[in-house]
Amino acid sequence: LHAGHPRFELGRYLQMLFVVQLTELLTFAAVSLSVHMIINQKYIGHLAVMLLYLYTVAAPRLGIEHKLLILGSDTGLSASVFHAQEPFIIPWVLFKFYWAAWAGLLMITASRVWVRGRDTGLQARFKQAVGETRLSPAITGALATILLTGGLIFYNTNVQHRYVSGKRAAEEQALYERTYRRYNNAPQPLLTAVKLNIGFYPHIREAILTGDYLLKNVGNTTIDTVHLEPAPDVETDRISFSRESYPVLKDHLLRH
């Protein structure tokens, strides 16, 4: 109310609780149960599940950042007054089917190494499971779902878009600093005024910005070169000045 938003969207809270969070919890519960069934040792199973959970939390610190490699990860669901959640639903659903298929495959494996006799050793149970290597419809369906959803996610993440890991971003930042640090103290004009025209197009998830920046030389040194750094997630079509000018350098990789 104090922020000027009097609408309490209770349906949104219920959706997050019983759809988003419940789906994540059920997937992790299925994986945890399968781990316990395979290990068949209470405390070792608890330890393995705890390590699995810590991996999902600390994987980026270990250099593993791709969401296809971190259990339960997804693109998230974001709501906007322009387009609600529609653009994010399909990627989110793909991830949920991907991880549900992995959980199902693990549960099938666990059912095949289920303790059925006096010999409870893991090696003996896996030998028994190897004898049941036939591809059941459930295994075929799980593998097909993993390949299909995983392929779609990888294509959208790594092919259609440029995937940059944290390590790669740090390397590019270091390269940028090594390449252009010689201009660190170069005289530059001061931005004194901004006039922007912004058009929002929710149906295509785009915004088009045009406008003018007023740059003023407040120093005593003549400025013959202006350095620009386009935003990383914005496609910059055209930059022009009110006086005669020409581009000296266009570094698209480092955005300079």
Side-chain angles (χ1 to χ4, degrees), residues 45-142:
H46 285 329
L47 178 61
V49 171
M50 185 180 299
L51 291 175
L52 178 62
Y53 175 75
L54 291 177
Y55 165 77
T56 62
V57 175
R61 296 178 177 271
L62 301 175
I64 303 172
E65 301 178 2
H66 205 293
K67 294 183 183 297
L68 285 174
L69 303 176
I70 304 175
L71 175 64
S73 59
D74 55 61
T75 55
L77 286 175
S78 299
S80 169
V81 295
F82 291 106
H83 49 61
Q85 291 181 332
E86 281 77 7
F88 306 98
I89 290 177
I90 293 179
W92 184 84
V93 170
L94 283 176
F95 268 102
K96 292 309 158 187
F97 272 104
Y98 175 78
W99 290 118
W102 273 114
L105 190 62
L106 191 59
M107 292 188 71
I108 294 172
T109 303
S111 67
R112 291 194 172 188
V113 297
W114 188 287
V115 177
R116 294 183 175 88
R118 294 183 178 180
D119 194 348
T120 60
L122 186 61
Q123 184 177 1
R125 289 187 286 131
F126 266 107
K127 285 184 179 179
Q128 177 181 332
V130 169
E132 303 176 4
T133 54
R134 65 185 184 279
L135 284 179
S136 65
I139 293 179
T140 304

Side-chain angles (χ1 to χ4, degrees), residues 190-205:
L190 180 67
L191 179 62
T192 58
V194 176
K195 180 181 179 181
L196 293 179
N197 298 311
I198 306 175
F200 291 102
Y201 302 90
H203 59 289
I204 57 175
R205 297 174 57 199

